[in-house]
Amino acid sequence: MTDIKSLNLEELTEYIQSLGEKKFRAKQIYKWLHQDFVTGFDEMTNLPKDLREKLKRDACVYVVKPVKVMVSQLDGTRKYLYELNDGNIIESVLMKYHHGNSVCISTQVGCRMGCRFCASTLDGLERQLVPSEMLDEVYRIQRDIGERISNIVLMGSGEPLDNYDNVVKFLKLISDENGLNISGRNITLSTCGIVPLIRRLADEKMQLTLAISLHASDDNTRRKLMPVANKYTIAELLDACRYFFKATGRRVTFEYSLVAGVNDMESEAVKLGNLLKDINCHVNLIPVNPIKERNFKQSVKKDVEKFKNVLEKYKINVTIRREMGRDIQGACGQLRKSYKDNIEGNGKNATEKHNKKEVEW
Ligand code: SAH
């Protein structure tokens, strides 16, 4: 079956012609899929019935089905648990800001990066998401709330660069002028730091914001938190960031999750200040969101403020991430994990099923 929503207009045109149909049908279908967000061929009412039947036999429209939606009473944040065609579960989040509606999407089912504080990686990687599924995470929400989605962040479950081709295709489709037309400047891709793929992304020259999950200012501390640090040093990572800036002109964001007693001390802030002071960047401090499977503790407010003040002395642009949807809280991947564990019986099956949970760097 052809995954029709993952095709760009050119590919769709070729496909439609291969079915012996006229070229202009591709434009009509593309609009139905990417502007009207239909979920099946029967809704494409300006297509002849025999073409709809042909498409039904040969292609499919991948959709995500909301199985649970949680709405914050505090700030309107919405968390969506979606079921995919094969029964897998993923999550997406809608955050309402004064500058627009932002959707945080998952890029993989699970993750194999193994970051110690993250719930998304606990059961390993189940499978890659295809572009149509990532698009539908956004389309469903826009349909649901009846308002335009203006910003996308790739910060849900999964490592976007570990699903490189599908993610790049998704980025091109979501910013296509015949689709949702979201400008690259309103898209942020967050990565744990796979150095060669950061360079490859830079070469795509897309105008997006790159966010790097740094979380430490020396390799030893970083290795305790993130296995990927065994493969690439911070020096190599920062070099790739400089390359990205040179290639795209886009300032890089560094995410730094503060874990009490591990990376939140004043001395660590000084080290981070020295490391980043010459880079045109933005630092986003995130008090770690503790997950029950690990015993990392969140930094206290006073330490977070102190950390920020130190970085500001180095003239670094710093923000503390505002916590959205506190009443429906759950760190990255926690909602999916608890839903899955309930269904599978405390996650026992999940753990047995995945014998290779992490990449060995
Ligand atoms: N794989 C990508 C994107 C997903 S996670 C990446 O690593 O960047 C988005 C951000 O949330 C990352 O910076 C990640 O390190 C951070 N994160 C994950 N779990 C967290 C937790 N429990 N508390 C605070 N930050 C967390």
Side-chain angles (χ1 to χ4, degrees):
M1 292 289 247
T2 298
D3 169 13
I4 198 161
K5 209 159 63 184
S6 290
L7 303 180
N8 61 31
L9 188 54
E10 208 181 302
E11 293 163 338
L12 184 61
T13 307
E14 265 170 41
Y15 171 66
I16 289 301
Q17 285 178 316
S18 79
L19 295 179
E21 299 286 337
K22 295 242 166 58
K23 228 170 137 172
F24 77 98
R25 295 289 178 205
K27 265 210 149 146
Q28 290 179 317
I29 295 169
Y30 197 87
K31 182 173 179 299
W32 282 118
L33 293 170
H34 300 283
Q35 284 185 6
D36 303 319
F37 315 132
V38 300
T39 54
F41 297 110
D42 283 333
E43 290 172 73
M44 302 183 180
T45 47
N46 58 0
L47 301 186
K49 182 125 199 300
D50 66 320
L51 172 54
R52 277 186 263 157
E53 292 305 320
K54 208 190 282 184
L55 287 169
K56 273 198 243 173
R57 283 192 301 272
D58 197 66
C60 57
V61 182
Y62 281 144
V63 293
V64 297
K65 196 172 88 196
V67 288
K68 193 170 178 180
V69 183
M70 293 165 83
V71 184
S72 164
Q73 299 306 309
L74 301 174
D75 53 30
T77 297
R78 285 166 173 254
K79 294 202 170 174
Y80 289 79
L81 263 189
Y82 289 127
E83 189 179 310
L84 307 176
N85 276 4
D86 61 1
N88 270 308
I89 298 288
I90 55 168
E91 62 182 276
S92 317
V93 185
L94 166 75
M95 290 157 293
K96 293 180 148 247
Y97 294 105
H98 59 271
H99 63 262
N101 293 315
S102 182
V103 170
C104 172
I105 68 155
S106 296
T107 52
Q108 297 180 311
V109 183
C111 183
R112 54 184 188 143
M113 294 298 115
C115 298
R116 299 291 172 238
F117 44 80
C118 182
S120 299
T121 197
L122 289 168
D123 293 333
L125 176 68
E126 186 69 43
R127 74 163 169 87
Q128 305 288 12
L129 290 180
V130 291
S132 55
E133 291 169 323
M134 291 182 257
L135 289 169
D136 215 44
E137 292 183 58
V138 183
Y139 294 173
R140 273 323 88 201
I141 296 181
Q142 178 153 328
R143 235 166 96 135
D144 190 20
I145 64 168
E147 291 173 27
R148 179 174 161 74
I149 304 301
S150 53
N151 294 64
I152 308 282
V153 293
L154 280 65
M155 285 192 191
S157 294
E159 166 49 48
L161 298 184
D162 191 37
N163 185 14
Y164 189 90
D165 291 337
N166 286 323
V167 163
V168 167
K169 186 84 180 283
F170 160 79
L171 293 171
K172 290 186 172 155
L173 287 168
I174 200 102
S175 50
D176 187 272
E177 57 181 7
N178 295 306
L180 219 46
N181 196 11
I182 298 183
S183 117
R185 290 172 176 266
N186 291 345
I187 301 175
T188 300
L189 182 150
S190 176
T191 174
C192 65
I194 305 177
V195 166
L197 296 177
I198 292 174
R199 289 176 177 271
R200 192 167 152 204
L201 185 68
D203 291 337
E204 310 265 356
K205 309 271 188 217
M206 284 186 278
Q207 283 295 301
L208 43 89
T209 300
L210 178 68
I212 302 286
S213 300
L214 189 60
H215 306 326
S217 54
D218 67 81
D219 289 324
N220 278 338
T221 310
R222 195 161 191 264
R223 282 177 196 132
K224 282 186 205 145
L225 297 168
M226 307 175 75
V228 68
N230 292 312
K231 175 85 177 176
Y232 308 108
T233 63
I234 291 178
E236 288 166 329
L237 183 55
L238 296 186
D239 265 352
C241 292
R242 288 188 192 94
Y243 183 80
F244 187 88
F245 179 67
K246 242 208 277 168
T248 64
R250 302 286 299 155
R251 186 177 76 164
V252 174
T253 295
F254 292 101
E255 297 160 278
Y256 195 100
S257 294
L258 289 156
V259 186
V262 177
N263 65 358
D264 71 339
M265 295 77 92
E266 203 170 341
S267 54
E268 297 298 309
V270 169
K271 261 168 37 196
L272 188 64
N274 278 309
L275 195 64
L276 300 182
K277 65 177 192 278
D278 297 325
I279 301 180
N280 188 355
C281 68
H282 171 95
V283 174
N284 200 203
L285 299 175
I286 317 165
V288 81
N289 205 334
I291 58 174
K292 68 176 192 312
E293 292 82 358
R294 306 269 192 257
N295 60 359
F296 287 131
K297 292 193 178 54
Q298 195 173 76
S299 307
V300 295
K301 208 163 170 233
K302 157 174 104 4
D303 290 340
V304 178
E305 288 294 337
K306 206 191 287 168
F307 204 94
K308 177 170 183 267
N309 291 340
V310 172
L311 291 181
E312 279 171 346
K313 283 197 189 115
Y314 286 86
K315 306 264 181 287
I316 293 171
N317 207 300
V318 198
T319 46
I320 298 172
R321 179 168 300 170
R322 210 171 99 210
E323 210 181 330
M324 303 283 283
R326 185 189 286 270
D327 53 333
I328 50 167
Q329 74 89 42
C332 236
Q334 256 181 2
L335 189 59
R336 165 177 177 265
K337 170 99 177 109
S338 61
Y339 183 85
K340 234 169 94 264
D341 286 356
N342 264 333
I343 287 179
E344 291 173 357
N346 290 325
K348 280 187 206 110
N349 298 343
T351 319
E352 281 161 18
K353 219 162 65 188
H354 300 280
N355 39 22
K356 192 153 194 284
K357 295 212 281 185
E358 284 174 23
V359 182
E360 279 166 41
W361 294 105

